[in-house]
């Protein structure tokens, strides 16, 4: 790792600690040439293959963008979205696979979104599970009611939400 101050080609690790709920390691480094200190962050990379074939790093921010659209008008905060994106990343890492397709990300989002907001979940699911009829919505709503253990407020769904449409 080059020193960001003097560009010296080497640096010494003086401290390492796990950060960000175990998903990354921060290393405190010191340049033997100029003596300045800096920090590097190391994470195992997850990648996403887009439908176009382009491979890019997994991004929590993109998860939040996709889910935020489905959450329009719903009582969901930015903190909720950030936590959801973090949980999605954790669940992806738990699969033991490092490369995913865009659709896999959507599927990984669904169970977390269902816990967060049922209406947003239905909007999102309608895109990712390609709902193409009212029957699909009815089946999903029925499924939600079963998981919730019986009756509940009626859930309306809108097909207008779109996930990250790449
Ligand atoms: Zn230096």
């Amino acid at each position: 790792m080059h020193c960001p101050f003097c560009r010296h080609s080497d640096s010494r690790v003086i401290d390492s600690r796990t950060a960000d709920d175990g998903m990354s390691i921060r290393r405190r480094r010191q340049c033997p040439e100029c003596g300045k200190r800096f920090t590097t962050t190391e994470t195992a990379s997850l990648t996403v293959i887009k439908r176009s074939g382009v491979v890019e790093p997994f991004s929590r921010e993109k998860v939040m963008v996709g889910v935020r659209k489905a959450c329009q008008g719903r009582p969901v905060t930015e903190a909720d979205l950030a936590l959801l994106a973090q949980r999605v990343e954790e669940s992806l890492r738990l699969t033991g696979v490092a490369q995913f397709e865009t659709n896999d990300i959507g599927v990984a989002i669904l169970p977390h979104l269902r816990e967060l907001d049922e209406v947003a979940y239905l909007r999102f699911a309608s895109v990712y599970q390609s709902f193409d009829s009212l029957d699909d919505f009815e089946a999903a709503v029925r499924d939600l009611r079963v998981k919730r253990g019986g009756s509940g407020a009626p859930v309306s769904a809108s097909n207008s939400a779109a996930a990250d449409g790449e």
Side-chain angles (χ1 to χ4, degrees):
M1 177 64 72
H2 288 245
C3 170
F5 305 104
C6 72
R7 310 296 299 164
H8 185 68
S9 62
D10 196 16
S11 60
R12 194 166 59 89
V13 176
I14 53 178
D15 185 38
S16 293
R17 64 182 60 180
T18 306
D20 197 15
D21 50 52
M23 296 297 175
S24 64
I25 292 178
R26 267 180 222 286
R27 296 193 198 284
R28 194 86 182 117
R29 292 170 183 269
Q30 185 167 32
C31 173
E33 187 67 22
C34 70
K36 286 188 175 152
R37 294 181 176 192
F38 56 99
T39 302
T40 54
T41 305
E42 194 177 288
T43 54
S45 60
L46 294 178
T47 53
V48 181
I49 311 170
K50 302 211 287 188
R51 288 183 193 98
S52 60
V54 174
V55 177
E56 63 179 29
F58 169 80
S59 149
R60 287 190 199 180
E61 183 51 43
K62 288 207 166 175
V63 169
M64 290 173 68
V65 168
V67 174
R68 193 181 287 125
K69 286 182 200 162
C71 291
Q72 271 173 17
R74 302 298 304 162
V76 174
T77 65
E78 282 297 299
D80 291 334
L81 291 176
L83 186 61
L84 178 140
Q86 182 187 317
R87 289 192 172 142
V88 167
E89 180 174 347
E90 284 165 4
S91 66
L92 290 173
R93 288 184 188 276
L94 283 174
T95 62
V97 178
Q99 194 163 60
F100 301 89
E101 293 178 9
T102 306
N103 194 57
D104 298 331
I105 309 298
V107 169
I109 287 170
L110 287 169
H112 301 288
L113 188 54
R114 188 172 60 214
E115 282 178 29
L116 183 60
D117 188 279
E118 292 175 343
V119 172
Y121 163 76
L122 282 174
R123 289 172 176 165
F124 198 84
S126 73
V127 174
Y128 270 95
Q129 296 179 333
S130 304
F131 288 10
D132 51 21
S133 72
L134 205 51
D135 289 345
D136 290 333
F137 277 102
E138 281 174 355
V141 171
R142 211 177 311 132
D143 194 41
L144 277 176
R145 291 218 169 102
V146 168
K147 288 197 169 79
R148 212 164 45 179
S151 64
V155 179
S156 66
S158 153
N159 208 4
S160 64
D164 189 3
E166 291 178 80

